[in-house]
Amino acid sequence: MSIPSRVKLVDVGPRDGLQNEKSPVPAEIKIGLVHRLQDAGLKNIEVTSYVSPKWVPQMADNHEVMSGIARQAGIVYSVLTPNLKGYEAAVLDKPDEIVVFGSASEAFSQKNINCSIAESIERFAPVVEAARAAGIHVRGAMSCTVGCPYEGEIAPERVAYLAGLMKGIGVQHVGVADTIGVGTPRKVQRAMEATLQHYGIDDVSGHFHDTYGQALANTLATLEMGVWQYDTSVAGLGGCPYAKGATGNVATEDVVYMLQGMGIDTGIDLDKLIDAGAYISDFLVRKPNSRAANALITKRAG
Ligand SMILES: CC(C)(COP(=O)([O-])OP(=O)([O-])OC[C@H]1O[C@@H](n2cnc3c(N)ncnc32)[C@H](O)[C@@H]1OP(=O)([O-])[O-])[C@@H](O)C(=O)NCCC(=O)NCCSC(=O)C[C@@](C)(O)CC(=O)[O-]
């Protein structure tokens, strides 16, 4: 399999990136971030989630954020929906894509969405059916495909099992998530191979957190398998509230820098992307969690 010549990045910063922030981030700042991402050339942005505000207070402004975006044609705005209640609220805000999110680990499923893997699939089935009937694309996130904060290592067979369940209810695309960033290249390749038992190469993506500094290596390892779609987070924002200690996704800036250096097209303007990362990092009063962004900011100042 040859390395793809073009890669699609879904920036999950406004959702995955900000969901774990302890202090409320105002809706206008989240909207400002989405606007800067779209100006930088991102064609896929994960904006928010329609989950319980008691579980994830930071996403309680989902309607305000979704309705405040000055949308651009050709951009896919996606949102997370764990159940029908979430879907029914989300659909009023006209997302282009919804994301159901399950787990390869039973314990993480319980901690994150308060139900077993089997129950989660029962909850997702009517959501998927309704979304597809409405012409809304459905993505499935598969958490803990390599390791789980509660169960430890996760076998590829469990990833294949979850992918099969997702396929069975009509989920069109699945993301292989290393939620706590413990994966290393061969392990992530095995999780991806397990997923490919049920999905074609055009219907899978990688979602790698960078807790142990392995996310770029894992991206390269799966690129070599022909994977061409990845979730990344501007300024390396994020972490999951139910995966203690896990840091953000691999920084979009780092991935774009690597891909540009490999001659792989992303359609993203790295300078503008760095400005988007600086905007949200300034608001959060911290440096971007991106080696490439910090190096290029220093060079600019130079
Ligand atoms: C899934 C639930 C809702 C189940 O939560 P539950 O408590 O089992 O739900 P319930 O059906 O028993 O309802 C309890 C209350 O929640 C309300 N409720 C029920 N559903 C909704 C909804 N959709 N939106 C708003 N409110 C809702 C419902 O109306 C009720 O309200 P009350 O009567 O007590 O006032 C809960 O566990 C939850 O919200 N979990 C959020 C989990 C989450 O957002 N985690 C982070 C995202 S996943 C992630 O980051 C990983 C990923 C995707 O990035 C990939 C990776 O890296 O692994």
Side-chain angles (χ1 to χ4, degrees), residues 6 131 158 167 176 209 215 263 273:
R6 134 188 113 83
R158 294 167 71 185
K167 186 80 179 178
V176 175
H209 287 259
L273 179 64

Side-chain angles (χ1 to χ4, degrees), residues 15-16 19 50 52 83 85 112 114 143 179 207 209:
R15 195 283 302 172
D16 202 352
Q19 69 182 5
Y50 291 76
S52 162
N83 53 18
K85 186 177 169 85
N112 194 38
N114 207 23
S143 292
T179 310
H207 176 112
H209 287 259

Side-chain angles (χ1 to χ4, degrees), residues 1 30 34 93 116-117 129-131 174 176 182 187 205 235 245 275 293:
M1 179 63 72
K30 295 173 182 166
V34 171
D93 293 331
S116 68
I117 295 171
E129 194 182 340
V174 285
V176 175
V182 288
K187 288 184 182 175
S205 50
D275 291 341

Side-chain angles (χ1 to χ4, degrees), residues 26-36 64-65 68-70 279:
E28 71 203 59
I29 297 290
K30 295 173 182 166
I31 294 166
L33 176 60
V34 171
H35 288 165
R36 282 165 177 78
E64 207 181 336
V65 174
I69 297 168
Y279 163 82

Side-chain angles (χ1 to χ4, degrees), residues 90-109:
V91 79
L92 301 175
D93 293 331
K94 301 190 169 30
D96 301 294
E97 180 180 69
I98 58 134
V99 184
V100 291
F101 48 107
S103 169
S105 146
E106 278 294 348
F108 187 77
S109 182

